Amino acid sequence: MFQRSALSSAITFVVALASQPLYAQDSAPTNNETDLEEVVVTGIRGSLTKALDIKRNEIQIVDAIIAEDIGKFPDNNVVEALQRVTGVQVTGRGGGEVDGVTIRGLGDVSTTVNGRQIFTSTGRSVALADIPASLLNRVDVYKTRSADQLEGGIAGNIDIKTHRPFNFDDTKVVMAARGIYQSTSEEIDPNVSMLASDRWETSVGEFGALINLSYAETNYRDENIWIGSLDPYNADTYGVIRSTEGGYQAGTDQGLSSAPGSTLNVNGVPTEYVLLRDAMGFTDFTGKRERPAANISLQYAPNDNSEYLFETFYNGYRNQAFNSLVFINTNGASHFRNPDLYPNSNVVKTNYINNANMFTSGDGSSGHTDSWVYALGGKWEINDRLKVESEIVHQTSDYEGRFFAMRTDSVRDRLVVDFNYDDGLPLVAFLDDENTPNIDESDLTNPAEWSMSTAYDNGPTDSGEATTFNIDADYETDWGPIKQLSAGLRYDDRGAKSKYKDQSGGCKSETGCDLTLLPGLVNISKSGFFEGKAYVPSQWLAADGNYLLENSDEIRALYGFQAGGSDYQPGSIFNINEVTASAYLQADYEFSLFDKPLDGQVGVRFVQVDTDMDFFENANGDGVTWAPINDEASESRALKNLVIRYSFTDDLITRFTYGETIRRPGYGDLNPARTYRPTTTGLEFGTASGGNPDLKPAESVNYDWSLEYYFAESSSLYAVLFRRDVEGFVASAVTNIEVTGNANPDLNGKYRLTLPSNTSNGQLNGVEVGLVYFPDNLPELLDGLGVQASFTLLDGETYDPVFDENNNIVERTTNDMYGVSDTSYSVVLAYEKERFDARLSYVWRDDFKTGFNGCCAMPGGVWSASEASMDFQLSYDITDNLVVTFDATNITDEIYQGYYTDDYLYNNGASIFARTYALGARYSF
C-alpha cells in the first residue's frame, strides 16, 4: 500500500519534470475535444459523423454523444440524452425527468468528469441528473475497459467531457434559454446557460479562460396509483389466514396457487381460500427542483510542449416536495356483498366492504446538495517518445435532507374497489344512499371527517470528501510489434460520513388535535387526479407537507417532539475512510496478419484498497445503549485486460476484448448496526437486519466481440456480442440468531437476521445492433434525411443462495437479473435542410424486474411493464448566430405500470408523468 509520503514524492517528481528542459516536436497543444464552433455550425449529420469517428478510432468499444447531439435533442440532463445510445437504458422516471441509467441492463456504472471520478455525498458515483446538458462537450460511454481506466463499475464507464478554452480558435460567447412547459404541473420552467471563452498570446506563452454557467428549474407533478400485496382469506368467513395457521411459506417466487378451490391446511383442517389485496392508494407528488451548475477552466501553454490546467466544476441540487398520499384498507371482513373473483381463479377482483379504514399522509421533504471539484494538472512532452500527464484533484459533496409527514385518519362506509377495472387500472368508489358509485362527492375533502394521527420528523446529513493524485506516462517504442507502453499511478483518499435523525409519535396536545386549529395545515389536492384516466377519487384532503416543513416547531409542540429536531440516531452514524492505491502497465501493439493490420492493447491494473470504518453498535439490542466500534478491511486485486482489433478492409473492423472489473459495496451496506423487530403474531422468529463490514467487491469477467462496417462518411452498421460473468453480487443472506439477557426483555428471543452478503452470482449475455445511415442521391425534397437506430437483446440471470436451518447454502436458485429488459430499441429519424433540422425519436424497452417482495402470498417478483417515450425536436437558424428551437417529450403521454410477475391477476400500480413542450433560443458570437 502507498503511504502518504509516496504522494509527496510523486508531487516532487512532477514538479521536477516540469522544471526540466523539454524536447518535443514543434506542435501546438493537442486535445480531443469537439469545438463548440463546429457544434453550432455542422448540424446533426456532422455530430453523428464525429461520434462514429470516435467509435472507430478508440481501441475500446465505446459510443459517444457529441454536444450537437445533446443540444439538438430535447434533453435537460445527461441521463435523458444517454437513452438513445445503443445498450443504454434509463430508469427512475419521475419528478419531471429520468435520473438513473444502466448499461446493458446493469446499474453499476462508474461516472467520471474529464476522466476524474466524482461522487455525490456518500455515494460511489455522481447523480448524473444533476449535470445539465448545457455544460457538456461530449459524453463517452465505454462498454469495455482498459488498464488505464478506473477500476470501478461492472456495467461500464460514462465519461463526461466539459468545454475548455483551447477548444476554440478565438473568443467565443454562447447564450441559451428555454422555457419548458410541464403538462402535469402546468408551469413554465426556465433553463438558461451562458458560456464565455477566450485565448490570447503573451510573451510568456498562451493563456485561455472559460466560464460556463447553467441554471435549471423544474416544477413537477407525478400522479401514481398503487395496489398492495395480497394474502389468503377464508373463503367462507373472509378472515385472514396467517402462515403459522396455514403452513405456507410467504414471499416465494411462485406465490400461493390461484386455481379455483385451492385449500390450505389450517390447524389440521383443509380450508378453501381466496386471495385478496390488502390496500390501495394514490399519491399526488408535487415539487420544485433547482439545479445551478458552473465550470471554470484556465489553460496555460508556456511553449509547444507543455500545458497546464486549473479547473473547477460545481453542481448543486435544491428540492422541496410535497407528497399527498391516500391509503385505503381494502381487506375488511365486513361485506355488504360477496367479492367477485377473476374468471377461473380464486383471486378477488372486486370487493365490497363496510367501514373501510383509510388515512391520508401529507409528506413534506426537502434536500440540497453542493458538490465541488478542484483540479490542477499539467502535461509535458519530455521528448519525441515520452509524454507525461499528472493531476491533483480535491472534491467535496454535502447533502442535507428533511422529511416531515403527518397522517390523518378516517373510516368510510360502503367501499367498492375493482383491482383491475380497465387494463391494469383500478376502480375505487364509495356508494351513496342510492347504491350508486360516487367518487366526487364522497366527502374526502371535509376536515371534520378526518383526525390528526402519527407524525414523522426525520432527515439525513451526508458528506463526502476526496483528494486524488495521479501520474500517467506514454512512451513510444520501436520494439517490434510493441508500439507504445503506458504506465501510471493513482492515490485516492476518500472519506464518507453519514448520520440520521428521527422522531415519530401521536398527537399529545392538551387543546386537541383538530386539523382546523392550524390555519394552513389542511391541503386539498388538485382536482382531476390521474387526468381522469382511472375511476378513482379526483381529490382529497391531507396535511400540507410544505406547511409542516415551514412550521416544524409548531407541529413538534403538538406531538411532544424535541424542538429543532431530534438528535442523530447512533445506529445510523458512520464515518468511513477509504484509501485506494492503484498502478497500471499497458502496451499497445500492432502488426500485419494476411497483409491486414491487427492491433490492440494488453494491460493489467493493480488495486489496493484499505478501509477504516467507525460505527456505533447496540451490543445488547435494547436500542438505547450504543458503543463506538472500529473495523478495518483490506483488499487487493490484479485486473487484466486484452483488446484485439483486426481490419478486414479500411471500412470493416472486428474487435475482441477481455476485461476484469469490480463493484465495491455501498458505504451504508458496511454499517453493522442492527435493528430488532420481535414477533407479534405468534411466529417462532422475529426479524432483524443490519449491515456487514466484511463485504468484498464483486468481480466481473467481461467478454465482447464486435463487427463494425463504416460504409459511408456518416453511416455505419455494427453489432456486438457480449457476456458478463459476475461473482460476489451483494445479496441478502438470512441467519438464525437468538438474543438473550437483553436489558430490554421484550427484545429477547429468536430472530431471522438479514444481512448483505457476497453470496449471489450472475451472468449477463446479449447482443447489440446499431445503424447510422444518411443515404446519398436522394430526391431534392428528401435530401438530408437520415436514421439512427439501435437494438439490444439481453439475457440476465442471478444464481442466488438457498440456506438450510443451520444457515448453510444447500442450493442456488436461478432468478431474473434486476433491471434487465430482454429487448429494447431506439429509432431516430433526422432531417436536415439548409437552416432547418428536425428529429423524431422513439425509445422502447421490454418489461424488467425491479425487485423482490419477501412477504405475502403473491409471486415475489416485482416488475415494471414495458416503457416507451416519443420525443420531437425542431430548430431553425434565423442567422448564422441565432437559432430558435421547439422541443416536445413524452408525446404519446404514456402510462407506466407495474405488477407482481402476473400483470393481469397481480397488477401493482400505474403512474403518469409530464409531457413537456419547450421554446428556446441560442445566440453565439
Side-chain angles (χ1 to χ4, degrees), residues 121-123 463-465 494-498 574-578 667:
S121 66
T122 58
S463 64
E465 185 173 10
R494 167 82 194 273
K497 299 179 181 179
S498 182
F574 66 74
N575 185 356
I576 296 177
N577 183 252
E578 183 178 78
Y667 292 120

Side-chain angles (χ1 to χ4, degrees), residues 51 55 61-65 85-86 139-143 718 768:
K55 182 179 184 68
I61 296 176
V62 61
D63 287 289
I65 305 176
V85 173
T86 308
V139 181
D140 294 337
V141 180
Y142 288 91
K143 314 289 184 63
Y718 51 91
E768 296 174 346

Side-chain angles (χ1 to χ4, degrees), residues 340-531:
D340 301 328
L341 305 179
Y342 288 93
N344 303 312
S345 81
N346 67 353
V347 182
V348 173
K349 183 177 187 294
T350 310
N351 201 19
Y352 309 84
I353 63 174
N354 293 309
N355 303 319
N357 290 300
M358 61 186 298
F359 69 82
T360 63
S361 181
D363 305 345
S365 62
S366 66
H368 70 265
T369 304
D370 291 297
S371 300
W372 293 88
V373 181
Y374 308 91
L376 177 65
K379 55 185 179 181
W380 307 270
E381 295 183 10
I382 307 302
N383 53 44
D384 289 347
R385 293 179 179 271
L386 179 61
K387 298 179 181 179
V388 176
E389 295 188 25
S390 185
E391 189 173 61
I392 187 165
V393 180
H394 182 73
Q395 58 181 309
T396 62
S397 181
D398 300 304
Y399 171 78
E400 184 172 357
R402 288 189 60 207
F403 178 84
F404 209 130
M406 179 188 292
R407 277 182 48 170
T408 53
D409 295 341
S410 185
V411 176
R412 300 299 164 128
D413 199 18
R414 301 178 69 77
L415 169 70
V416 180
V417 55
D418 188 323
F419 299 103
N420 194 344
Y421 178 71
D422 181 19
D423 195 23
L425 298 178
L427 174 149
V428 177
F430 300 92
L431 298 188
D432 59 20
D433 293 338
E434 305 297 327
N435 287 336
T436 301
N438 192 320
I439 61 173
D440 291 325
E441 304 298 333
S442 55
D443 213 20
L444 297 183
T445 60
N446 183 359
E449 299 293 330
W450 298 90
S451 60
M452 294 169 62
S453 182
T454 308
Y456 307 86
D457 177 17
N458 55 58
T461 300
D462 299 330
S463 64
E465 185 173 10
T467 300
T468 309
F469 171 79
N470 61 272
I471 182 169
D472 302 89
D474 296 325
Y475 181 73
E476 294 183 9
T477 73
D478 53 3
W479 304 341
I482 305 300
K483 303 303 180 184
Q484 178 174 288
L485 283 180
S486 300
L489 303 174
R490 181 176 182 268
Y491 180 91
D492 179 72
D493 190 342
R494 167 82 194 273
K497 299 179 181 179
S498 182
K499 50 189 178 181
Y500 184 81
K501 57 176 61 177
D502 180 42
Q503 54 186 342
S504 61
C507 185
K508 298 178 181 179
S509 172
E510 296 180 357
T511 59
C513 298
D514 190 332
L515 283 170
T516 60
L517 293 178
L518 298 176
L521 178 61
V522 173
N523 174 272
I524 306 300
S525 64
K526 185 178 179 180
S527 63
F529 175 73
F530 220 74
E531 299 181 358

Side-chain angles (χ1 to χ4, degrees), residues 250-263:
T252 62
D253 284 330
Q254 68 277 6
L256 285 182
S257 173
S258 60
S262 295
T263 63

Side-chain angles (χ1 to χ4, degrees), residues 807-822:
N807 308 313
N808 298 312
I809 298 177
V810 295
E811 63 175 311
R812 289 188 179 272
T813 60
T814 300
N815 297 304
D816 294 289
M817 188 174 285
Y818 293 158
V820 174
S821 293
D822 290 345

Side-chain angles (χ1 to χ4, degrees), residues 684-685 734-738 750-753 802-811:
E684 181 181 3
F685 290 90
V734 180
T735 304
N736 294 335
I737 65 170
E738 185 170 2
K750 295 181 179 181
Y751 293 88
R752 297 278 285 171
L753 174 63
V802 177
F803 298 87
D804 64 13
E805 61 183 9
N806 297 316
N807 308 313
N808 298 312
I809 298 177
V810 295
E811 63 175 311

Side-chain angles (χ1 to χ4, degrees), residues 99 240 543 576 783 835 904:
D99 62 7
V240 64
I576 296 177
D783 186 32
R835 294 182 176 274
Y904 177 59

